[in-house]
Amino acid sequence: LEAFREYSGDKPNPGMGELVDLQSDLLQSGWRALRPGGLLVYSTCTLNRFENEDLVESFLVKSNAETLDVAALLGLPSKPEEGQALRLWPQDWNGEGFFVACLRKPASETFIAPASQSPSLMMLGEVLSPSQVEDV
C-alpha cells in the first residue's frame, strides 16, 4: 500500500523526474536496437501516468512508432480509457500493478545495430511475427 501511494497518482513525487528520465532512456535505447518492423514491449511495475502514458505519448510525438492494442494481442477485453496500452490493476489481478504498451517500428526505418548484440537485444524484434499482429 505504501508503494502504491508513493508511485501512483496524478502528482509527481520527489525523485520521480529521475525515474521518468531513466525510463525514457531505456525506451529510446530499446527503440534504437530494434529492427525495422519489430515490436517493442514497454512495461513498468508502476501505476503513475508520468512513467507510463505520458512517457509513451511523448515518445510517439518524437518517433514514427505505431501502437498496437495490447489487450487485443492478449485476448483480453479492451478498455477505451486505456487506449491501446494495458493496465493490470492489483485488485483485478492477483499481483502488483503493471502498465504495458506495444510499439511497432516501421519497416522503412533505418536499423542502427548496437555495438554488441546480446541474445536479449536480438530477440526484441522477434517476440511476435508480423503475421501474428496484422489483424490487430
Side-chain angles (χ1 to χ4, degrees):
L1 189 54
E2 183 180 330
F4 179 80
R5 284 191 201 113
E6 187 173 342
Y7 294 108
S8 66
D10 295 327
K11 295 180 181 175
N13 293 311
M16 191 172 289
E18 292 175 16
L19 290 174
V20 171
D21 290 344
L22 175 61
Q23 293 292 79
S24 178
D25 290 347
L26 291 168
L27 177 57
Q28 290 176 42
S29 177
W31 188 255
R32 284 189 304 270
L34 186 65
R35 292 189 184 280
L39 301 176
L40 185 142
V41 174
Y42 174 77
S43 181
T44 68
C45 58
T46 184
L47 297 173
N48 73 65
R49 288 195 55 84
F50 307 103
E51 289 179 77
N52 298 330
E53 291 90 350
D54 292 352
L55 191 139
V56 170
E57 288 171 17
S58 173
F59 181 78
L60 290 172
V61 168
K62 300 174 194 172
S63 71
N64 56 355
E66 171 191 357
T67 59
L68 300 176
D69 187 335
V70 176
L73 285 171
L74 298 175
L76 300 172
S78 293
K79 296 181 180 178
E81 68 275 11
E82 294 177 358
Q84 295 205 354
L86 177 68
R87 279 181 173 259
L88 301 174
W89 294 95
Q91 68 270 22
D92 297 334
W93 300 87
N94 189 18
E96 300 291 325
F98 286 93
F99 170 85
V100 184
C102 185
L103 308 171
R104 182 186 347 230
K105 184 180 262 191
S108 60
E109 191 164 313
T110 304
F111 174 66
I112 302 170
S116 88
Q117 286 191 343
S118 68
S120 59
L121 283 177
M122 292 178 0
M123 291 172 49
L124 278 173
E126 300 170 6
V127 176
L128 296 174
S129 71
S131 62
Q132 289 175 295
V133 292
E134 283 178 357
D135 298 327
V136 177

